[in-house]
Amino acid sequence: MNTALTKLILHLGCGLALLALPSGIWAQTLKATGLFVVVGGAEIPLEPSVGISQLTKSGLLESQVKTHIRQFLAIPGDKSPVRINSSDTQVFLIRMNLALTQDSSVLSALVPELRLLVRKKGERELVQNDITGTIFSAKNRQLSPKIVVDVARQDDHTLRATPQLPLLPGEYAFNTLEEVADPTPQRFTNPTAGVRYRVYCFGVN
């Protein structure tokens, strides 16, 4: 196997290992129980939804020359009903299940990642990897980049997250990495459906 494709597989394997975790490291002791956006002094709940992990790859003939692998969370609906304006003061509150400590050095690790979503017909996608590889090189497109936020302690059970730069119009989601049980009864011991993760969505006009 050529070096470039070997790197591609190793890179994807690392991504799948992270995706397969039942929850983020932070969720082992603390986890978010609700996310809100502050608009005009009011706290508006973000849209709770479930992202289903998906993996697509190029066909057999194409893969002999070029390999395209896409790993993402598929979120139903192409647009969130929760909307804010790009001109609004963008402040988000994260309610936690346990009391927070005073140690501010770890607060940023407790906030679910804020990601830009890709809109598709009937769904939104949080793209973790979009990798194109040839025998010479591999490139991973950042279609759902992580948004940089400042984090502060609001009170004993609440964190405040503020984007360092105003969010541009588009669809967004906080990915908690919390695995959600599939409510559909399974016929077989190894279901083919992807793992489900809890996400909180909103849109910016």
Side-chain angles (χ1 to χ4, degrees):
M1 184 179 292
N2 64 75
T3 303
L5 290 182
T6 300
K7 291 180 179 180
L8 174 64
I9 293 172
L10 290 175
H11 179 88
L12 181 62
C14 293
L16 288 173
L18 291 174
L19 183 61
L21 290 174
S23 59
I25 294 176
W26 62 273
Q28 295 176 9
T29 54
L30 286 165
K31 70 176 183 178
T33 58
L35 278 83
F36 305 80
V37 60
V38 180
V39 178
E43 298 179 9
I44 301 175
L46 299 188
E47 173 201 359
S49 192
V50 173
I52 303 176
S53 61
Q54 303 286 328
L55 179 67
T56 61
K57 57 184 179 179
S58 54
L60 180 61
L61 292 178
E62 181 184 351
S63 65
Q64 302 302 314
V65 179
K66 180 175 66 175
T67 300
H68 182 207
I69 298 175
R70 185 180 175 89
Q71 178 189 4
F72 59 95
L73 295 183
I75 304 169
D78 59 1
K79 187 176 183 180
S80 175
V82 180
R83 316 299 301 177
I84 63 175
N85 296 318
S86 57
S87 58
D88 291 336
T89 300
Q90 298 168 352
V91 176
F92 300 90
L93 302 180
I94 301 95
R95 302 276 190 246
M96 310 301 294
N97 62 328
L98 299 175
L100 300 164
T101 67
Q102 299 290 337
D103 186 1
S104 60
S105 63
V106 298
L107 292 184
S108 60
L110 303 178
V111 175
E113 288 187 350
L114 176 57
R115 297 275 184 173
L116 177 67
L117 301 180
V118 177
R119 290 185 65 183
K120 293 293 184 72
K121 184 177 181 180
E123 70 177 25
R124 293 153 286 173
E125 295 179 354
L126 193 161
V127 183
Q128 290 122 336
N129 290 295
D130 191 290
I131 304 172
T132 300
T134 68
I135 60 175
F136 301 107
S137 64
K139 182 178 181 181
N140 188 4
R141 294 193 297 165
Q142 298 297 316
L143 298 180
S144 290
K146 180 181 177 181
I147 308 300
V148 180
V149 297
D150 292 323
V151 182
R153 185 176 181 275
Q154 178 91 350
D155 56 43
D156 287 349
H157 287 85
T158 308
L159 291 171
R160 183 174 68 253
T162 307
Q164 288 190 357
L165 294 174
L167 298 176
L168 299 174
E171 300 297 316
Y172 296 85
F174 283 94
N175 183 15
T176 68
L177 297 180
E178 177 188 352
E179 187 175 334
V180 180
D182 184 356
T184 306
Q186 298 294 337
R187 182 182 301 275
F188 304 107
T189 56
N190 295 317
T192 57
V195 180
R196 289 158 165 77
Y197 295 92
R198 189 177 307 283
V199 294
Y200 291 88
C201 306
F202 65 96
V204 178
N205 297 326

